[in-house]
Amino acid sequence: MATTGNLFILSAPSGAGKSSLISALLKQESSRLMQVSVSHTTRQPRPGEVDGQHYHFVTVDQFKHQISKHEFYEYAEVFDNFYGTSETAIDEQLAKGIDVFLDIDWQGAQQVRMKKPDVTTIFISPPSKKELASRLRSRGQDSEEIIESRMSQAKAECSHYQEFDYIIVNDDFEQALTDLTTIVNNQRLKRSQQVENHQLLFKDLLAND
Ligand code: 5GP
């Protein structure tokens, strides 16, 4: 039987570089080993975003219906839109031994921590407020009003940094990627995981022959 996968949460204010870090991490890995959970959201797709790949884009009515059917592992309202993680998608992947990443906000992180205390939580911080503002502007996808609202949301997100197991300051991208890879490998090398991975080895090493 496959070892159960590890569950990771990555939270960050938008503009901290979380999505780029996750994509770079996934490029190093086989999808058999690691996947990012695709959330449901009621927000409009941005240019280039694909339904079912970046998000499952749904209406507010559909989302509320899913809430009433208890389909979400966690959900939250972020920037006036709903975002949620589907329960079955995660459980199936974890059961297959796949490590699952949740790219969710601090509210979602709090809910998942209550349900699954062994989740590994990582907070990605921008190197400075100035750099954060400049990264949000250079995306060119959102209006100035949205950028300002995201800057104040960023402060709210950052105020929860003490709730996370790990903090990565994304100043130098390659270093941040190395840090993230180290955290993932650290989790995979824990005794509880290794005992499951190498049951036969330890049985053999301890056999009286
Ligand atoms: P964006 O609209 O920029 O893709 O995401 C906005 C924020 O919503 C980000 O902080 C992201 O982590 C968060 N988010 C995305 N999906 C989920 C989800 O399923 N649950 C929660 N709680 N937050 C999410």
Side-chain angles (χ1 to χ4, degrees):
M1 206 182 109
T3 314
T4 311
N6 296 296
L7 187 62
F8 296 91
I9 291 179
L10 257 95
S11 294
S14 62
K18 180 177 51 171
S19 309
S20 311
L21 275 173
I22 296 180
S23 318
L25 179 73
L26 287 185
K27 274 201 190 126
Q28 302 174 357
E29 296 266 340
S30 133
S31 61
R32 206 173 35 80
L33 294 177
M34 184 182 288
Q35 284 176 21
V36 180
S37 154
V38 180
S39 295
H40 286 70
T41 183
T42 59
R43 88 150 158 74
Q44 292 300 308
R46 297 199 184 108
E49 284 185 333
V50 179
D51 187 32
Q53 189 182 323
H54 296 92
Y55 280 104
H56 298 289
F57 294 100
V58 295
T59 63
V60 173
D61 280 349
Q62 281 171 322
F63 197 96
K64 287 188 171 163
H65 181 69
Q66 286 181 279
I67 294 174
S68 71
K69 295 211 139 203
H70 305 286
E71 286 180 14
F72 292 120
Y73 207 66
E74 61 73 34
Y75 68 91
E77 200 174 341
V78 189
F79 311 130
D80 298 328
N81 289 302
F82 287 109
Y83 293 82
T85 308
S86 147
E87 181 132 23
T88 43
I90 299 185
D91 286 346
E92 279 168 18
Q93 288 171 340
L94 290 175
K96 283 184 201 156
I98 298 170
D99 288 345
V100 178
F101 267 87
L102 305 183
D103 169 351
I104 62 178
D105 81 326
W106 64 271
Q107 304 172 80
Q110 283 189 348
Q111 294 170 47
V112 175
R113 244 184 242 111
M114 304 270 279
K115 289 189 177 172
K116 212 169 159 44
D118 62 345
V119 61
T120 303
T121 61
I122 308 162
F123 183 79
I124 316 264
S125 171
S128 67
K129 207 173 188 174
K130 199 168 156 220
E131 176 65 21
L132 178 69
S134 128
R135 285 183 193 170
L136 285 178
R137 287 209 166 79
S138 67
R139 280 184 181 182
Q141 288 187 354
D142 297 313
S143 68
E144 195 59 28
E145 194 191 339
I146 290 182
I147 288 168
E148 270 170 32
S149 132
R150 292 207 162 197
M151 278 302 286
S152 73
Q153 292 285 343
K155 192 174 172 188
E157 186 77 41
C158 290
S159 73
H160 292 270
Y161 72 96
Q162 304 227 34
E163 296 167 21
F164 291 79
D165 300 322
Y166 296 94
I167 295 176
I168 296 175
V169 178
N170 185 11
D171 188 2
D172 175 74
F173 185 81
E174 288 309 319
Q175 181 58 51
L177 181 58
T178 304
D179 292 347
L180 183 55
T181 311
T182 304
I183 294 167
V184 171
N185 287 336
N186 181 51
Q187 189 60 27
R188 288 176 174 167
L189 291 171
K190 280 199 170 153
R191 173 168 46 83
S192 52
Q193 278 268 290
Q194 290 287 66
V195 164
E196 268 195 78
N197 288 338
H198 299 288
Q199 279 177 23
L200 289 179
L201 166 67
F202 290 109
K203 203 172 160 194
D204 187 36
L205 287 174
L206 301 180
N208 298 319
D209 45 19

